[in-house]
Amino acid sequence: MGINSDCTVSTAELFEEQIQIFPVPFADQLQIQLQDWQGVVANVYDASGRQVYTKVLSGGSLQIATEDWAHGLYQVELVGKYTTTRRKVIK
């Protein structure tokens, strides 16, 4: 019996599967939920690449007040100990 490589899951894939960002599109609030990942840094960048938000997640959920943000495209970057993932969202 050998190891089935189809069952291998990388840290990046596991991290990506446990992320929920909603609502998309968002208006006055953006919510990020992560299951069982502490110490992840959440960064948000506007379309010009300017960082508009950063915070270290201490729990599995984060609510970001966005009522003062301009409408447009944003990139949410989540930086973990071993991996980084990015998602685009629209306001």
Side-chain angles (χ1 to χ4, degrees):
M1 288 190 179
I3 297 175
N4 184 348
S5 64
D6 292 338
C7 295
T8 303
V9 178
S10 72
T11 302
E13 290 171 321
L14 184 60
F15 186 68
E16 184 70 30
E17 288 176 2
Q18 294 183 354
I19 299 169
Q20 293 182 353
I21 301 174
F22 58 91
V24 176
F26 63 95
D28 295 335
Q29 186 174 356
L30 183 63
Q31 187 157 338
I32 300 170
Q33 288 187 341
L34 283 155
Q35 299 173 8
D36 302 323
W37 290 85
Q38 302 240 351
V40 171
V41 178
N43 299 308
V44 182
Y45 302 92
D46 66 14
S48 68
R50 181 177 60 96
Q51 186 178 51
V52 295
Y53 185 86
T54 187
K55 183 167 182 153
V56 177
L57 280 72
S58 58
S61 160
L62 174 65
Q63 294 181 353
I64 304 170
T66 61
E67 61 269 356
D68 295 334
W69 295 8
H71 290 273
L73 183 67
Y74 290 84
Q75 182 169 263
V76 177
E77 176 185 64
L78 300 169
V79 182
K81 186 173 182 177
Y82 300 108
T83 189
T84 298
T85 190
R86 293 171 186 86
R87 297 223 185 136
K88 293 179 181 174
V89 293
I90 297 174
K91 177 173 183 182

